[in-house]
Amino acid sequence: MGSSTQDLIKQMRALIDQATEDKRLSISFKNMHQGHPDAALERFLKAREYNVPKANKMLLDCLFWRISNDIDNILSKLIEPKEAYDCIRESQLI
């Protein structure tokens, strides 16, 4: 590998900074990395054998999937009908 991991993370950060000019992508990325953006970027780099373009594509695909499936808001939605919610809730109580 010609570049160090930190150099590759910097390249990924530059690419994601361009992409997250879209507010939806920015919010989704912040929710995904939960305060550890470099660790998140390194996971995508590892998954694509430190190939920055492939890791960036994988990350963007992940963010678009999160947006299209409304993952960042999924816990704020009520389960309908209420009886189904109550049944699920009661099954989880100790």
Side-chain angles (χ1 to χ4, degrees), residues 63-80:
L63 294 175
F64 284 120
W65 175 84
R66 290 176 63 93
I67 291 168
S68 67
N69 290 288
D70 204 22
I71 298 302
D72 298 317
N73 299 315
I74 202 163
L75 295 177
S76 65
K77 295 179 183 178
L78 293 176
I79 299 173
E80 295 291 338

Side-chain angles (χ1 to χ4, degrees), residues 4 9 14 17 27 29 33 35 41 43 46 49 52 56-57 64 71 76 82 93:
S4 74
I9 289 172
D17 285 347
I27 291 168
F29 183 61
H33 70 61
L41 295 175
R43 282 194 300 274
K46 283 181 182 178
E49 299 176 347
V52 173
N56 185 58
K57 181 184 181 327
F64 284 120
I71 298 302
S76 65
K82 177 142 175 34
L93 295 176

Side-chain angles (χ1 to χ4, degrees), residues 11-48:
Q11 291 176 32
M12 284 285 293
R13 195 178 311 131
L15 291 171
I16 199 64
D17 285 347
Q18 290 175 356
T20 56
E21 290 176 1
D22 178 340
K23 188 171 176 91
R24 297 173 308 150
L25 288 174
S26 177
I27 291 168
S28 192
F29 183 61
K30 286 178 184 174
N31 288 333
M32 186 186 74
H33 70 61
Q34 299 181 358
H36 305 280
D38 287 353
L41 295 175
E42 187 173 0
R43 282 194 300 274
F44 283 91
L45 282 165
K46 283 181 182 178
R48 291 296 174 249

